[in-house]
Every structure is written in structure tokens, then in C-alpha cells.
Amino acid sequence: MPQVTYTDHTGASRTVAANVGDSVMETAVRNGVPGIVAECGGSLSCATCHVYVDQDALDSLPPMEEMEDEMLWGAAEDRQDNSRLSCQLKVTDGCDLHVTTPTTQV
Amino acid sequence: MADGLLIIGSSQAGVSLATSLRALGYDDPITLLGDENHRPYQRPALSKEWLQGEITNESLMFRTQEYWDEHRIDVVKNERIIRIDKNDDGSGVAHSMSGADFPFDRLALAVGARARRLLLDGVDLPGVLYLRNADDALELKARIPDVRDVVVIGGGFIGIEAAASLTRMGRSVTLLEAAPRLVPRAVGEETSAYLLDHHRATGMDIVLGASVRRIVPRGDRVGGVELADGRTVPADLVLVGVGVIPHTELAESIGLVCDNGVRVDESALASDGVTVAVGDCANLPNPVPGAPAGDRVRFESVNNAVEQAKVAAYAITGRREEYAGIPWFWSNQGDIKLQIAGLSTGYDRTLVRADPERGKHSVLYYRGDRILAADCVNHPLDFMAVRGALAKGLSIPHDAAADPSVQLKSVTVDPAALVAAD
């Protein structure tokens, strides 16, 4: 089963089994992973599911569209080169993604 | 504390309260009680992504059952509370229609609101629907394959979102709005005009200033909507979205002060000082910095449900945090993403930042030099900049914002610095 590992800003990690087709955000929220708020439920309206993606996985992810790019400029914690909104990252077959959540989302 | 907290209502506010409490380390029992036969689910997509089949039922669920079990949150479905016996200390017993009793040490009302009903001839005909909860949405979705002509009564967010979804799904949609413009309560005139032009261009027929006389049958079901000017708009399906009425009956029955919702203070505490009320059912002091003293508001938004639940969770765990969030809203309407930051009430001038080629259109609301709010269409950069500035107490000078190519985030200033420069 694909899985996503979420590491919070203190370094604590949690690995969650994920369903193919769900987003990295949905996987986090349904399992109650702290550090992902996702107020808008994944409709790209709130930027409270900001994550930093492991550098080596960045290239394998679908490129971000303009809306995501714009939303990221307003995230609560400043964006970095490896910032993504986790609602836009779909879990794929064989996925073993590692992301880090920021100090705050709101 | 054996009985713990009973949360009546398992939608966004109730769920947010339960999960916030566990995140804060609250250890007493939590019962999260809903009157629908569904696990707690998210509503916003019902009129949009879910209706159009873009997402599954499962993706509407707030949490897995494992989460509820692991966090010892007892989720109860299908129980409607009809009577509450409450003691002065805030404890009591809630009685359900099925005859079950739910004792509690402390009570939270997250009971939401119901769709306002139309009082017209023909509203009980089969094919006249409302859209408030999952069952409404399931019924609407089930009927769509047999429907060609749809009339939507009400040009607020729910009405427009559903109308846009149905237009996208190839139905012939007529939207009737009684006011002279769309979404008159939530956005200003420039935004209304933008939405009107956009949705008409997608093929939606929009009638403003519409006065509905009655709903007319065809056979034994709905056939059309008759307007006061005598014309009848044909309809295989009529969807009514004319606002909501907060559920205050239970609160009133236990003596809580209600007035367009359950009146609460900055900590989400009701008039007895111990019961909390959160979400669409709560009437709270206007949280926006600079709001007129004594002004009260009732929000119908996810953001408010989440923020207010957080504040209530603090109150329940004995910490006092006041609601300090900046209200914000979103509405996806076909290919329009409308995002609203702040409250525009009391504005005296606006500023439009338009980029028609890219479909971007923002309206900024000012009172004097102070920015109050923004409506942003397909313009997350502007939305996030205004939301961020309001949250930090910063200002966005009108003059600097007038150039639509300027990034608003780059021109935010501390208002104190402005005064000093004068």
C-alpha cells in the first residue's frame, strides 16, 4: 500500500497508509495528522495544507498550476523552493512520499 | 467528570470542537451527536465538486472511524435531541426522539441552521428541492439525469454554485434572484456585476428583481415557476436557496438568550456562562478589528466554524482565548473561484483591480484609508495578501493598490508608520 510520512516542525514523524487517488492532504486530515488544517477541504481556497516536500521527490511530482502557485505566496509560513499544497498532490501506486509540515498553517 | 462533553451537531463546527479539544489535551469523554444517518461529512462540495461527480462520497468524510476510536470520540448518528434537562452548573441530560438519554457534564450546541422554506403555492410538489445536507444533495443528484430545465430560486452562494454546476452538466438553468443584483448580502456591486456577466456568458439565464408568484405543476410534479410579471419559466426541477434560519429552539428551551442565533461572548460562551455554541447557530460579537462596539454577526462559513470551535475548546479547557480570526469565505462557481477576506460592512469606497485577459478581478473595500475586505475572483494573490494584511493589522494604501500589476503583498504597511509620516 502506498504511504505518506509526515514530519512536523519538531521532527516527530508519522507514517500513514494511503489510498491511491486520495490527496496527501486528505490522507492527513482523515487520519488526524496534526500540522495539516485544510479548512477548505481541498478546493484550493485556503493554503492551510502547506507542506515541504523532500527534495529528491520534488521532480517526480506533477508541476504546480498557477492557482496553487499564487496561494502558496500567502501561506502562513513563508514558502520555500520545495513548498507545495498537499491538496494538490495525489497519492499514486507505489508512492512513498515524505513531507514536512510548517510551524503554523494559520 | 464521568459524562463529559456532549456536542449536539456533527457538522463542521461540532467536529472542529471535538478535534480541537483532543488536540488541546482535553481528556474527558466526548460525545459527538448528529441527527443524520451519515458519518460526519463536509458540506461545501455538495453544491460543487461532489454534485458534478468530481469527488467521491468518501472524500467528504471528516475522519476515519479509526481516528474517532483512537481519540475516544463517541460519534452518534441518527439521533435528534428534542428536550434537554439542564442544571445550573451546566450539566444535564439530553433526550432524543428515539427515547435515548445522553447525560452530560457540559453541553455544546453546534446545531447549525436549516434552509429557509418558501411559502408559495406549489412548493410541496415533487421536484422542488432544497440543498442543505447530504440527503438533499443525494436526492438532487439522483434526479439530474431526468432533468433538462432547472429553475434555481435564490442568487446567493448556494444558488449560484448549484446553478453553475448544473449549467456545466449541460442543463438549461434559469436563476431567479429577488434583489436587483446577485449575492446582495455578501459582496458589493462590482463583484455582483462581474458574476452576472460571467454566468450569463456560460449560458445561465439570470433574472434579477424576480418576484416568484407560485410554482406550477405539470401532471403531478413540478412543471415551472410563475413570475409576478405573468411569465412562466419551465422547470423539471426547482432548487430553492433562499437563506437559512439558525436552529435556536433547543437553546431557547433551556433559557439561553437567542437573537438571530444563540448569543455568545468572545469565548463562544452562551448567556448561562457555561454552555458553548459554535458555528452557523451562534451569534457572536463582530471579531473584526475596528468593528463598531456592540456589533454582532452570525457567519455561515467553514472558517468561522473552525475558528470559533477553537476558541470554545480553549474555554472548555479553562483557558480564555478570544475569537481573533479574520473572517474569510470561498465560493466555487463553475470556473470561478471567489474568495472573500474580511467584512466589507461600512465601506465608503472601493478599488477594482482587474486583469480581464487572465480572468482576474478583485474588489478592495475601504473606509477612509482603512482596508476592510476584498472580493477576489480567480485572484488568490490578492486574496491572500488582503487576508494576511488584515490578520496582521497592516494596511494596504489605496493609491499603491490602484496599479493592478503591483503585488499587494509588497505594498502592505503598518498603519502606525503612515500616521508618523503624516
Side-chain angles (χ1 to χ4, degrees), chain A residues 64-91:
Chain A
M64 69 173 89
E65 295 186 359
E66 187 186 356
M67 285 286 186
E68 180 184 348
D69 191 28
E70 289 200 11
M71 292 296 296
L72 272 168
W73 287 113
E77 188 169 304
D78 285 347
R79 75 185 291 173
Q80 298 174 9
D81 292 343
N82 59 338
S83 284
R84 292 296 302 258
L85 291 180
S86 54
C87 65
Q88 301 303 301
L89 304 176
K90 295 280 184 207
V91 172

Side-chain angles (χ1 to χ4, degrees), chain B residues 80-364:
Chain B
R80 180 183 294 263
I81 299 302
I82 52 172
R83 189 168 58 85
I84 297 171
D85 296 321
K86 190 175 74 74
N87 308 314
D88 288 343
D89 67 355
S91 68
V93 183
H95 308 277
S96 81
M97 196 183 279
S98 73
D101 291 342
F102 297 91
F104 56 85
D105 295 314
R106 191 158 187 177
L107 180 66
L109 296 171
V111 289
R114 61 179 168 273
R116 192 162 76 80
R117 302 278 149 174
L118 275 184
L119 299 171
L120 291 172
D121 282 351
V123 291
D124 295 327
L125 286 166
V128 180
L129 307 180
Y130 294 80
L131 182 50
R132 181 69 194 162
N133 59 30
D135 286 336
D136 296 339
L138 285 166
E139 185 176 357
L140 173 60
K141 198 170 186 177
R143 287 177 187 263
I144 290 175
D146 303 322
V147 163
R148 193 187 60 189
D149 297 319
V150 180
V151 171
V152 176
I153 302 179
F157 286 143
I158 289 283
I160 298 180
E161 287 171 1
S165 296
L166 291 161
T167 301
R168 272 192 157 185
M169 295 166 83
R171 303 305 181 274
S172 170
V173 178
T174 304
L175 180 75
L176 307 175
E177 166 55 46
R181 61 187 182 87
L182 292 175
V183 216
R185 286 188 309 139
V187 302
E189 289 183 14
E190 287 107 334
T191 307
S192 292
Y194 183 93
L195 298 176
L196 181 68
D197 287 347
H198 176 87
H199 290 302
R200 280 186 171 157
T202 68
M204 196 190 294
D205 188 8
I206 300 175
V207 183
L208 299 175
S211 173
V212 176
R213 185 183 284 160
R214 65 190 182 109
I215 296 173
V216 295
R218 181 166 58 226
D220 56 0
R221 24 180 312 115
V222 67
V225 176
E226 185 183 309
L227 301 177
D229 63 11
R231 86 184 245 223
T232 296
V233 186
D236 309 311
L237 185 141
V238 172
L239 185 66
V240 183
V242 291
V244 298
I245 296 169
H247 285 295
T248 53
E249 294 80 0
L250 285 176
E252 284 166 19
S253 76
I254 54 174
L256 300 179
V257 176
C258 296
D259 168 22
N260 182 31
V262 185
R263 278 178 76 102
V264 296
D265 67 8
E266 292 82 353
S267 299
L269 295 170
S271 57
D272 65 354
V274 57
T275 302
V276 305
V278 287
D280 289 14
C281 74
N283 177 321
L284 59 149
N286 186 334
V288 179
D295 190 37
R296 301 186 70 87
V297 286
R298 189 177 61 76
F299 294 117
E300 294 153 22
S301 77
V302 169
N303 160 253
N304 173 63
V306 172
E307 292 295 327
Q308 227 207 337
K310 219 181 290 172
V311 165
Y314 278 118
I316 289 167
T317 51
R319 293 154 66 178
R320 206 168 167 87
E321 297 274 339
E322 294 190 356
Y323 186 118
I326 295 300
W328 70 271
F329 313 84
W330 86 92
S331 171
N332 291 351
Q333 307 170 8
D335 51 8
I336 276 188
K337 176 188 294 299
L338 171 62
Q339 296 168 296
I340 301 174
L343 290 179
S344 58
T345 319
Y347 72 90
D348 55 24
R349 60 176 172 160
T350 60
L351 173 65
V352 175
R353 289 164 52 87
D355 184 347
E357 285 194 5
R358 297 169 73 207
K360 294 178 181 295
H361 190 275
S362 300
V363 183
L364 276 49

